């Protein structure tokens, strides 16, 4: 019996060695093939940064694809160091996975320059290169380095905006001025222009600035806005919706004008889910963060207070890339396929899938 056990143990040992040998033989070894190289911007590019443009794009860096001996997920790291530095103290401008470009905000480039010892309001030279790796190993670093000039600024700018909400029996909240009132989307190019495209019931509405308060307020008639600055001021006329349907309402609080026109939504798609996705979001580029669909207006989506990181995001439908939306302006915009640039903060986010409009309100607690 002991001999049988010895033979069995020996057999198992041989089998284990054989399996381990097979594992080693079949294990995929990844090696570097082609080094990535920065393709834009060109060396010698000068950036004079301005404090009031902190959340605008300073530059879009692009680079060629790194190649490896197998199909793998490649992590790219965009590095910046002072001119002539050896990159041991370099700062990371961006990190991506399988994506060969990164939009860098003015504030990000400004902070990197200052962290590397640059004096403000003075041009300094910096070297930039791209590195790649696979699962933390097999590193490759660009053979060429581009040199850029950066003039950083001093000071901070407070990104505060005035928001307006709908109130009235034509809207989701009725005449309650603090019950989930629909916010108006702000133009990214004109801070005085606000718009909303969506469903209205037959009835009337006005716009209010502060939830729970009846002033400031806008009403109007015949294309002219009427302003109510305080409760003791006259109550302006309501905007009138003649029949249930989709409309676009636009107002300019500087010109004191408005437009209210019908909107054809017959071809509009209805989505089960819409979410945000990107390196600034909780799920990164791997998973969407779901938004909440309005029960009154099936094309309006919102996301409560959410922490976002420096980076970018897009909106996409049904957790896949068949339908997605982007923009090239922070806080508000829409209508392009770009990644929306985001600065680290907490936000309340709104989105309209009819026209791709988005609105992100920072520092809401």
């Amino acid at each position: 019996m002991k001999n049988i056990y010895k033979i069995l143990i020996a057999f198992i040992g041989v089998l284990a060695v054989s399996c381990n040998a097979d594992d080693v033989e079949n294990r995929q070894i990844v090696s570097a093939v082609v080094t990535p190289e920065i393709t834009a911007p060109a060396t010698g590019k000068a950036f004079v940064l301005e404090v009031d443009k902190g959340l605008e794009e300073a530059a879009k860096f692009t680079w060629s694809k790194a190649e490896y001996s197998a199909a793998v997920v490649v992590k790219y790291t965009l590095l910046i160091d002072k001119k002539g530095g050896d990159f041991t103290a370099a700062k990371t401008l961006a990190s991506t996975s399988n994506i060969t470009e990164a939009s860098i905000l003015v504030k990000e480039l400004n902070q990197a320059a200052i962290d590397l010892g640059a004096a403000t309001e003075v041009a300094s030279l910096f070297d930039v290169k791209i590195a790649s790796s696979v699962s933390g190993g097999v590193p490759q670093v660009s053979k060429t380095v581009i040199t850029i000039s950066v003039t950083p600024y001093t000071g901070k700018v407070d990104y505060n905006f005035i928001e307006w909400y709908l109130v009235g029996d034509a809207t989701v909240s009725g005449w309650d001025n603090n019950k989930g009132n629909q916010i108006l989307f702000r133009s990214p190019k004109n801070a005085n222009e606000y718009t909303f495209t969506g469903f209205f019931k037959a009835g009337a509405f006005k716009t209010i600035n502060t939830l729970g308060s009846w002033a400031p307020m806008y009403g109007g008639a015949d294309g002219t806005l009427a302003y109510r600055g305080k409760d003791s001021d006259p109550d302006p006329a309501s905007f009138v919706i003649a029949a249930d349907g989709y409309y676009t309402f636009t107002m300019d609080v500087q010109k004191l004008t408005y437009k209210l026109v019908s909107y054809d939504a017959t071809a509009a798609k209805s989505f089960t889910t819409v979410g945000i996705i990107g390196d600034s979001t909780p799920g990164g580029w791997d998973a969407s963060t779901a938004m909440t669909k309005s029960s009154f207006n099936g094309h309006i989506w919102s996301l409560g207070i959410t922490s976002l990181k420096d980076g970018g995001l897009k909106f996409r439908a049904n957790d896949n890339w068949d339908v997605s939306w982007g923009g090239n302006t922070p806080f508000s915009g829409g209508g392009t396929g770009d990644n929306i640039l985001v600065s680290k903060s907490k936000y309340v986010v709104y989105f309209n899938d009819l026209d791709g409009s988005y609105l992100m309100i920072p520092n809401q607690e």
Side-chain angles (χ1 to χ4, degrees), residues 30-361:
V30 176
S31 58
V33 177
V34 177
T35 302
E37 301 292 342
I38 294 179
T39 54
T43 193
K45 177 75 174 178
F47 299 93
V48 180
L49 308 179
E50 299 178 42
V51 63
D52 61 346
K53 296 182 179 179
L55 289 180
E56 294 184 11
E57 181 183 271
K60 180 176 283 187
F61 287 81
T62 62
W63 52 88
S64 59
K65 183 180 179 182
E67 293 185 17
Y68 288 85
S69 58
V72 290
V73 175
V74 180
K75 179 181 179 181
Y76 295 101
T77 305
L78 185 65
L79 299 167
I80 184 170
D81 198 0
K82 58 187 178 182
K83 175 66 177 173
D86 60 6
F87 282 84
T88 57
K91 300 299 178 183
T92 298
L93 286 176
S95 295
T96 70
S97 293
N98 282 351
I99 297 175
T100 57
E101 65 177 31
S103 294
I104 307 303
L105 302 180
V106 168
K107 68 184 285 293
E108 293 171 334
L109 186 56
N110 189 79
Q111 191 61 53
I114 292 174
D115 289 346
L116 289 168
T120 57
E121 314 302 334
V122 176
S124 298
L125 295 178
F126 297 90
D127 291 334
V128 182
K129 64 183 180 181
I130 188 71
S132 67
S133 63
V134 177
S135 299
V138 201
Q140 296 195 86
V141 180
S142 55
K143 297 176 182 178
T144 58
V145 175
I146 68 165
T147 300
I148 60 174
S149 169
V150 180
T151 304
Y153 58 77
T154 55
K156 289 184 175 181
V157 64
D158 190 13
Y159 297 98
N160 288 322
F161 301 98
I162 298 173
E163 307 300 349
W164 293 91
Y165 301 83
L166 301 177
V167 63
D169 56 5
T171 72
V172 61
S173 58
W175 285 107
D176 192 325
N177 64 6
N178 195 12
K179 187 182 178 182
N181 301 67
Q182 174 62 52
I183 199 167
L184 292 172
F185 291 85
R186 185 179 355 95
S187 167
K189 298 181 180 179
N190 181 357
N192 297 307
E193 184 177 287
Y194 299 81
T195 188
F196 174 72
T197 296
F199 178 75
F200 290 82
K201 293 193 300 184
F205 70 95
K206 298 178 184 181
T207 67
I208 55 175
N209 168 242
T210 305
L211 294 177
S213 178
W214 293 107
M217 170 190 285
Y218 280 107
D222 300 324
T224 300
L225 285 180
Y227 180 65
R228 184 191 194 195
K230 53 185 183 296
D231 288 336
S232 58
D233 290 342
D235 194 17
S238 298
F239 309 108
V240 177
I241 299 293
D244 290 2
Y246 284 83
Y247 298 84
T248 296
F249 171 75
T250 304
M251 69 177 192
D252 189 313
V253 299
Q254 183 180 51
K255 296 178 180 178
L256 293 179
T257 58
Y258 77 89
K259 292 181 180 179
L260 181 60
V261 297
S262 296
Y263 178 85
D264 185 0
T266 54
K269 296 180 180 179
S270 180
F271 301 107
T272 303
T273 64
V274 166
I276 58 172
I277 188 169
D279 53 2
S280 69
T281 72
W285 287 107
D286 298 320
S288 296
T289 299
M291 305 184 74
T292 300
K293 181 191 287 191
S294 167
S295 59
F296 180 84
N297 197 321
H299 297 284
I300 302 299
W301 306 79
S302 62
L303 186 62
I305 299 173
T306 303
S307 294
L308 299 178
K309 299 176 290 186
D310 288 338
L313 66 78
K314 288 184 177 181
F315 297 87
R316 69 173 184 173
N318 301 334
D319 293 321
N320 61 55
W321 289 107
D322 292 344
V323 180
S324 63
W325 304 264
N328 55 17
T329 49
F331 298 119
S332 62
T336 78
D338 302 275
N339 291 343
I340 301 164
L341 300 178
V342 178
S343 179
K344 181 179 179 181
S345 185
K346 291 183 178 180
Y347 294 85
V348 174
V349 184
Y350 300 90
F351 179 71
N352 187 342
D353 70 45
L354 288 174
D355 57 12
S357 295
Y358 57 86
L359 182 64
M360 303 174 63
I361 303 178

